[in-house]
Amino acid sequence: MTDTTKARPVYRNIHVTQILSYRLPPAGVVSILHRISGMLIFVLLPFVVWMFDASLSSEISYDGFTNIFVAGVAGTPAWFVKLVVLGLTWGYLHHFCAGVRHLWMDATHSVSKQQGHSSAVATLAISLALTALLGAKLFGLY
């Protein structure tokens, strides 16, 4: 009689701590952050519309709008409002840069592993650098 044992499939019990320790390539990180930034933009869309309306309605509403970044609003400190705006700025910039990356890859048919890696690193670097630049302006560092 011959030994006909098959290799049994391995079922892994993946826990949240294991998922968080899994190392994604830069393209995977950009992909997940693209989804997160899109969700952030969607959730904060009413806040963006309110900011836009408050900044353009009248001179008085504009003064009230700019005062929020100095004194806060409804018990919320100004630094927290600035932090939310910084998060929204990051979300927009990352979503924009990742979208341009996807359009560029589609237009040039750049689908190699090295090209995906380098464009993902460039996307992360550009979006974080622009966020840091605008964040410094937002927090009054220059």
Side-chain angles (χ1 to χ4, degrees), residues 32-45:
I32 288 173
L33 289 177
H34 186 73
R35 288 172 174 85
I36 290 171
S37 64
M39 186 175 59
L40 181 72
I41 291 169
F42 179 76
V43 168
L44 291 177
L45 189 61

Side-chain angles (χ1 to χ4, degrees), residues 21-129:
S21 66
Y22 182 72
R23 184 163 168 83
L24 284 173
V29 172
V30 167
S31 177
I32 288 173
L33 289 177
H34 186 73
R35 288 172 174 85
I36 290 171
S37 64
M39 186 175 59
L40 181 72
I41 291 169
F42 179 76
V43 168
L44 291 177
L45 189 61
F47 180 64
V48 171
V49 171
W50 171 79
M51 285 191 323
F52 187 66
D53 179 53
S55 68
L56 294 179
S57 294
S58 67
E59 252 184 81
I60 296 170
S61 67
Y62 179 75
D63 289 338
F65 171 72
T66 55
N67 191 34
I68 289 170
F69 291 98
V70 176
V73 62
T76 305
W79 65 266
F80 187 75
V81 173
K82 288 180 182 181
L83 200 61
V84 170
V85 170
L86 182 66
L88 187 59
T89 301
W90 168 82
Y92 172 75
L93 290 171
H94 180 79
H95 202 75
F96 178 78
C97 291
V100 169
R101 172 183 179 257
H102 284 290
L103 287 173
W104 177 65
M105 288 173 66
D106 288 345
T108 62
H109 303 289
S110 301
V111 291
S112 71
K113 189 174 182 179
Q114 180 58 35
Q115 188 70 29
H117 177 83
S118 61
S119 67
V121 169
T123 298
L124 288 171
I126 291 168
S127 66
L128 288 175

